[in-house]
Amino acid sequence: MKASTADGKEDPDAAEDGLPTPQRHYVVAAVLAAVVLVVLDGAIANVALPTMAAALRVSSSQSIWVVTAYQMALVMTLLPAAALGESRGYRRVFIAGVVVFTAASALCALSPSLPWLVAARFVQGIGGAGVMALAVALLRFATPLRLLGAVLGWNALVIALSAAAGPTIGAAILSVATWPWLFAVNLPVGAVVLLAARALPRTGGTGRRIDGLSVLLNAGTFAPLVVGVDLLVTRPALATGLLAAAALSLTALIRRELPRTAPLIPLDLLRDGSFRISVMASICCFAGQMAGMVALPFYLHHGLGQDAFMTGLFMTPWPLATAIAGPVSGRIADRVSSAWLCAAGGACLAVGLAGAALWPLQGNPLLLIPFTIASGLGFGFFQTPNNRNMLLSAPRARSGAAGGMQGTARLAGQTAGSVIMTLLFTLAPADTAPRAGLAIGAVLAVLAAAVSTLRAGRRVAEKVAA
């Protein structure tokens, strides 16, 4: 794979040693700014659902499609976007993703009704997939190996801060403007990102053809999966049918892609034990994290009697601790075994969630703060080294597929955590469901830590065999 600098001159050393400064700094800035754009928009939209429902004169349940459409498009197109990036070049597809996302933001702002808004959000998700699938591939290409852990740590920092700041920024915008401005603010930010993206290296693609039927089977797997999960409690019969359709599509997709050297769903990468273990651990950890993040506000509100503002305040230490831990763990991961870092991070997350679930608070929510800090630190120390290992376990030419699989594992775990909490709120009393969710999250975090240690065991076995 060859690269060239922003002025078109070929840089033969970039493929091995990263890009020279200051171009590397421009690339990292452009990629992280695009990631902020995508993550922040998702968090902002969530807080505005009641306002949108009232303005568009629809029910609360109907307004949720504003979020569901975005998530569905994102998960449906992550792997195809990664494959397209490998085929046509990371730079080209990444910039196209930013253009589509920004243009769809304008359509969202101009939407006169809920169907128009949902359709625009779906297109926005497609653009976001182009950004999220190829962000880590571009960071890997631009960054020397000795600095890759630190850069991935900054990526985790950006994602954590964007997710944490989203509700606050959304509330601030709604306090002075109407809901369309939530999407209109993306336009100048998107323009700045596109200007900065001029520094991205012109990576050559493989020219490999993208199989249209496999793309359709991929959509047929994830679209009914997302909708089926949402309907699991309210319409179980329909949800079961959708989940069965998703399973059939996935089976057909695997059979079709299995013989290929570079399959759409990265079966070639999943054959590698280290990559496979990282994916499994990521799903477990994100499921535990999501269960905790959903359960904690309900525990604060119903169990400890806090209002919405104080609930948000007590939740803040978690993402802030994650933001601090990300860069630190990234630098440590360049020197220490990522398997043991991930195990320690998963254990710390488990301690935080278990403490929040079991500690006798006696009505004092201040006692939760050490546990939320521990949860955030643990998640930050797990996420960065696990992503680094996943990325470096893949050949350089398959960095796009590795990035797509990272995003897919994250969304799969978050979906599983949400389903767990939905079932708990349906089956258990409102005063016990949140603490049960925190406890289940702790178990999943322990499982993530245990799975991560398998990587260390594999390396020991390989050294003994050698």
Side-chain angles (χ1 to χ4, degrees):
M1 181 184 298
K2 294 183 179 181
S4 61
T5 57
D7 59 4
K9 295 179 181 179
E10 188 176 301
D11 183 2
D13 298 324
E16 298 299 331
D17 301 321
L19 298 174
T21 54
Q23 187 190 359
R24 181 172 74 243
H25 298 155
Y26 296 149
V27 171
V28 172
V31 171
L32 295 186
V35 169
V36 169
L37 189 68
V38 174
V39 175
L40 195 63
D41 188 81
I44 284 176
N46 291 345
V47 77
L49 288 181
T51 303
M52 293 179 188
L56 297 173
R57 298 180 181 179
V58 297
S59 66
S60 298
S61 59
Q62 289 174 317
S63 71
I64 294 175
W65 275 100
V66 174
V67 174
T68 302
Y70 182 81
Q71 292 175 330
M72 185 190 302
L74 191 64
V75 73
M76 281 172 55
T77 51
L78 268 172
L79 294 178
L84 192 62
E86 291 183 353
S87 176
R88 300 292 183 262
Y90 301 146
R91 180 184 193 271
R92 183 182 301 178
V93 178
F94 182 86
I95 291 176
V98 176
V99 170
V100 170
F101 185 91
T102 306
S105 296
L107 294 178
C108 289
L110 297 172
S111 296
S113 63
L114 181 65
W116 279 99
L117 179 57
V118 169
R121 285 284 284 171
F122 187 87
V123 176
Q124 212 181 19
I126 294 174
V131 172
M132 299 303 289
L134 300 175
V136 293
L138 284 166
L139 291 176
R140 179 181 185 181
F141 193 91
T143 307
L145 182 59
R146 70 182 187 279
L147 300 176
L148 184 60
V151 170
L152 292 178
W154 284 108
N155 185 55
L157 166 72
V158 162
I159 291 174
L161 289 181
S162 299
T168 302
I169 294 174
I173 293 173
L174 290 175
S175 67
V176 297
T178 56
W179 69 264
W181 284 98
L182 295 171
F183 303 104
V185 296
N186 292 338
L187 302 182
V189 179
V192 171
V193 171
L194 288 173
L195 286 174
R198 295 174 60 188
L200 295 177
R202 291 181 173 88
T203 55
T206 63
R208 191 168 49 242
R209 187 178 67 87
I210 307 299
D211 185 70
L213 181 56
S214 292
V215 172
L216 290 176
L217 288 172
N218 182 77
T221 297
F222 289 109
L225 179 64
V226 172
V227 178
V229 165
D230 280 345
L231 297 176
L232 197 58
V233 174
T234 56
R235 302 182 67 180
L238 177 58
T240 301
L242 289 171
L243 294 177
L248 290 174
S249 293
L250 178 60
T251 302
L253 176 62
I254 292 174
R255 293 187 61 180
R256 184 173 181 82
E257 291 292 299
L258 195 58
R260 303 180 190 272
T261 56
L264 179 70
I265 181 169
L267 301 170
D268 56 325
L269 302 183
L270 290 168
R271 292 189 186 101
D272 178 83
S274 183
F275 185 89
R276 184 171 62 250
I277 289 170
S278 293
V279 171
M280 293 165 57
S282 182
I283 292 172
C284 292
C285 193
F286 273 101
Q289 181 254 5
M290 179 56 72
M293 289 293 282
V294 172
L296 199 55
F298 286 95
Y299 185 28
L300 284 161
H301 183 69
H302 295 297
L304 300 174
Q306 302 301 302
D307 59 23
F309 175 77
M310 292 304 298
T311 295
L313 202 60
F314 282 117
M315 290 282 294
T316 302
W318 183 324
L320 289 181
T322 300
I324 293 169
V328 174
S329 63
R331 292 188 179 278
I332 297 175
D334 290 327
R335 307 178 185 89
V336 180
S337 168
S338 61
W340 293 114
L341 272 179
C342 292
C348 186
L349 173 60
V351 168
L353 292 173
L358 303 175
W359 195 267
L361 300 180
Q362 299 175 343
N364 183 8
L366 289 174
L367 297 176
L368 271 180
I369 292 178
F371 299 122
T372 57
I373 292 175
S375 297
L377 289 175
F379 184 68
F381 270 95
F382 172 89
Q383 183 184 14
T384 301
N386 192 70
N387 285 348
R388 180 184 184 275
N389 184 77
M390 204 183 303
L391 188 61
L392 293 182
S393 296
R396 201 174 183 89
R398 292 286 280 158
S399 296
M405 197 63 211
Q406 276 187 18
T408 302
R410 180 181 68 251
L411 291 170
Q414 289 173 340
T415 300
S418 298
V419 170
I420 289 170
M421 290 310 305
T422 300
L423 292 175
L424 281 174
F425 283 127
T426 303
L427 301 174
D431 56 340
T432 60
R435 298 183 74 174
L438 290 167
I440 291 173
V443 172
L444 289 167
V446 168
L447 187 58
V451 170
S452 295
T453 61
L454 297 177
R455 290 209 312 268
R458 283 178 58 87
R459 288 178 181 174
V460 171
E462 288 170 0
K463 288 181 179 179
V464 171

